[in-house]
Amino acid sequence: MTAIRLYNTRSRSKEGFTPFDPLDVRLYVCGPTVYDRAHLGNARPVVVFDTLFRLLRHVYGDGHVRYVRNFTDVDDKINATALARHEAGAKGTLEELIHQRTEETIGWYHADMDALGALRPTFEPRATEYIGAMIAMIQGLVDKGHAYEVEGHVLFDVRSYPDYGRLSGRSVDDMIAGARVEVAPYKRDAMDFVLWKPSDASLPGWESPWGRGRPGWHIECSAMSFELLGASFDIHGGGIDLQFPHHENEIAQSCCAHPGSDFARVWMHNEMLLVEGKKMSKSLGNFFTVRELLEQGYPGEVIRFVMLSTHYRKPMDWTAEKAREAEAVLRHWRSLTAGAEPLGPDVEVVDALADDLNGAGAMARLHALAKAIASNPQKDCFYEKGVLLASAQLLGLLEPGMGDWAEGVDLAPLATKLTALREAAMASKDFAPVDALKAALIEAGVEVRMSKAGVELVPGPGFDAAKLGALL
RNA sequence: GGUGGGUUGGCGGAGAGGUUACGCACCGGAUUGCAAAUCCGUGAAGACCGGUUCGAUUCCGGUACCCACCUCCA
């Protein structure tokens, strides 16, 4: 069996991966808050952990991996949108408008992530479906003396958990010293965080032992991972910005609620996405959505390729140049594997991925496999093509159904015309008409390939079918 | 201020204590009516200063610079 090694944030080192149960490997990844379209930064963990999911399925078997990615559908930004719609005269109660907003956002999220070739996780729980489990967990923390109620809030007492700060390598005292936020006066300790907060009539709320209210942000992941994966599971993933406070708080809650359990054994964090060298973030306002990129003509497969070509633990700069290169490579690989059937993936590709998801290493191997096929045009390379195809598909690339962008339109009539003009020109020695048509085709983004064997037209980067109409 | 990470050839971007990463670009060749595409091939690196070593870009220490987290964020 392939030996998987993963970098564990908790130990700050690469460790050999051994699941609790190889017949039931369990992975939890923090999903989106569904208040708006996913931006490109949101897509990075999706692609990274989708690749991990694919690797785990390859190694342990498709039916032996449980992957949970939540939807956070309790959030003040969602409430704000619903309230704005309500005030603008939208039909329905506030609750219905909230539900409408989260439903439409989840629909967008699915469409956008599908476009990136991400498999749907085994479970996609919504926070609102687990309120009861959260209340039960909070009550347990209160009973054990890890949480306290004050002014309608329930707060986690960080001093009751000695390991608080271990994941992110900081101590409670250091954090207080550097704190930049105003501390609510009712907190026992500045770092105590909210498990439950009161809701007034204008906000969604649920009845609880502490009155009508709603959960804090962190408790949902603890409750849902417990319900769906158990008190101890294998891998917990998310963006590095979640390491503190979100994941630190999850650990505190879960370990205190379920003493003796491991919670997540391996913690994996992807680095941030940069645009123009700056972190893409809401506060900087420099983010753009996956949908915008797709609509600009960047295929999902191209976006995925770019993401996988930088290691997940390094910042990745999104550039148009990388997308251009990715598109060219994918076109090449697609043409090499056209008509091939996927066989087993190449062992070196698997090994590269198994080494802490070394996407760039896997890509290098794919290039080598492609070169072996391309440099043997006299052979049919049935086996090699099948291996290349299966290997790329392990990365979520060259999947059938993802390649519509590379299919293009029917260029055969233009090829026929160009062939006729060329044959006439060969006789007359006047190549001007041929060159004119060729130039027009190139202008429309078509690659013009002429050889002794004939003429071949292939859509290239920047292909624009609209410019072809007048050429026939 | 605290914590963590980074610095590789023109650009992007990996692994490994000693042997070509890889891709793009460039250059040379094949091919082509000319091109394009494709194929073949060459060159090019490891921020700085020390240490360990027969040997370090790779390990250790220091310096400089960059970035992130400590506030909603993937």
Side-chain angles (χ1 to χ4, degrees):
Chain A
M1 181 175 282
T2 305
I4 297 178
R5 291 172 60 76
L6 299 172
Y7 183 87
N8 191 348
T9 306
R10 203 155 68 160
S11 65
R12 304 204 183 279
S13 60
K14 251 192 240 184
E15 301 173 352
F17 175 70
T18 311
F20 285 102
D21 178 359
L23 297 178
D24 184 22
V25 181
R26 284 159 286 159
L27 167 68
Y28 187 97
V29 174
C30 292
T33 302
V34 285
Y35 63 94
D36 207 348
R37 282 275 188 194
H39 66 243
L40 191 62
N42 291 304
R44 194 169 187 197
V46 172
V47 170
V48 165
F49 292 106
D50 177 66
T51 306
L52 176 63
F53 183 39
R54 288 170 184 269
L55 173 70
L56 292 171
R57 283 159 55 100
H58 173 72
V59 173
Y60 295 98
D62 284 2
H64 299 296
V65 183
R66 266 194 281 169
Y67 173 22
V68 177
R69 187 181 62 208
N70 66 291
F71 283 119
T72 299
D73 56 354
V74 182
D75 175 79
D76 288 347
K77 287 185 282 291
I78 300 169
N79 301 337
T81 304
L83 192 60
R85 288 181 178 183
H86 189 66
E87 286 169 353
K91 284 186 200 142
T93 65
L94 201 52
E95 279 74 16
E96 283 165 352
L97 291 172
I98 287 170
H99 185 69
Q100 210 178 77
R101 178 59 171 174
T102 59
E103 282 301 309
E104 77 184 1
T105 308
I106 287 170
W108 290 338
Y109 188 81
H110 275 149
D112 295 346
M113 298 309 125
D114 289 353
L116 300 180
L119 301 172
R120 296 281 177 93
T122 323
F123 299 102
E124 295 186 285
R126 302 177 189 196
T128 50
E129 294 167 349
Y130 288 83
I131 302 290
M134 293 185 221
I135 291 173
M137 185 175 251
I138 295 169
Q139 185 63 58
L141 289 169
V142 172
D143 293 345
K144 290 188 179 75
H146 289 295
Y148 56 95
E149 181 188 2
V150 55
E151 295 182 24
H153 294 69
V154 182
L155 296 161
F156 186 91
D157 177 5
V158 295
R159 298 286 180 183
S160 76
Y161 181 59
D163 277 352
Y164 190 78
R166 200 181 131 209
L167 177 72
S168 47
R170 38 189 117 195
S171 73
V172 172
D173 293 322
D174 287 345
M175 286 187 273
I176 291 169
R180 285 185 283 163
V181 268
E182 226 174 290
V183 178
Y186 49 76
K187 287 187 180 181
R188 283 186 197 165
D189 188 286
M191 298 315 295
D192 288 354
F193 56 91
V194 173
L195 298 171
W196 188 262
K197 53 193 170 187
S199 291
D200 64 26
S202 75
L203 291 168
W206 290 263
E207 289 308 323
S208 81
W210 317 284
R212 185 171 176 278
R214 59 198 196 283
W217 172 36
H218 315 293
I219 193 70
E220 58 173 277
C221 290
S222 286
M224 291 188 283
S225 65
F226 177 70
E227 294 294 322
L228 293 167
L229 298 178
S232 299
F233 55 95
D234 298 298
I235 303 169
H236 191 128
I240 187 73
D241 55 335
L242 295 182
Q243 184 192 41
F244 186 89
H246 184 56
H247 290 161
E248 200 71 71
N249 294 354
E250 273 189 58
I251 291 172
Q253 292 160 350
S254 291
C255 291
C256 289
H258 310 292
S261 72
D262 292 9
F263 192 38
R265 187 178 275 177
V266 180
W267 285 84
M268 294 177 69
H269 293 100
N270 61 276
E271 253 294 349
M272 297 292 98
L273 187 114
L274 307 177
V275 177
E276 304 298 330
K278 291 260 185 208
K279 187 183 100 163
M280 172 183 260
S281 77
K282 289 170 194 169
S283 53
L284 289 174
N286 65 343
F287 66 96
F288 47 88
T289 65
V290 173
R291 180 54 46 184
E292 284 168 333
L293 222 44
L294 292 169
E295 283 172 358
Q296 283 167 29
Y298 293 104
E301 189 178 25
V302 167
I303 298 171
R304 183 181 183 97
F305 185 107
V306 171
M307 292 218 170
L308 290 177
S309 55
T310 297
H311 189 89
Y312 76 94
R313 282 192 287 114
K314 290 208 171 173
M316 192 208 89
D317 209 354
W318 169 265
T319 64
E321 173 62 14
K322 283 181 181 173
R324 193 198 59 75
E325 284 185 24
E327 186 178 328
V329 172
L330 285 167
R331 281 185 193 284
H332 188 202
W333 289 354
R334 279 195 173 277
S335 83
L336 282 179
T337 57
E341 289 299 319
L343 301 171
D346 177 72
V347 66
E348 288 185 39
V349 171
V350 176
D351 285 348
L353 286 183
D355 181 14
D356 196 33
L357 297 181
N358 183 358
M363 297 278 202
R365 179 59 184 163
L366 293 180
H367 280 295
L369 293 171
K371 187 168 184 169
I373 296 166
S375 59
N376 278 297
Q378 70 282 8
K379 272 181 64 184
D380 72 349
C381 293
F382 174 82
Y383 175 76
E384 289 80 357
K385 288 176 181 178
V387 170
L388 173 60
L389 188 57
S391 303
Q393 289 181 350
L394 184 62
L395 295 173
L397 301 169
L398 304 191
E399 293 277 14
M402 270 192 103
D404 294 349
W405 64 275
E407 299 297 318
V409 296
D410 184 13
L411 296 171
L414 283 163
T416 305
K417 181 174 178 184
L418 188 61
T419 304
L421 282 174
R422 182 166 175 246
E423 279 168 2
M426 296 287 245
S428 69
K429 299 297 172 197
D430 175 15
F431 290 94
V434 189
D435 289 340
L437 179 56
K438 190 174 77 178
L441 286 167
I442 290 167
E443 166 63 20
V446 179
E447 273 175 27
V448 180
R449 302 178 187 173
M450 288 191 244
S451 66
K452 276 180 183 156
V455 168
E456 195 182 356
L457 299 181
V458 181
F463 175 68
D464 183 359
K467 290 182 179 170
L468 296 178
L471 300 181
L472 260 180

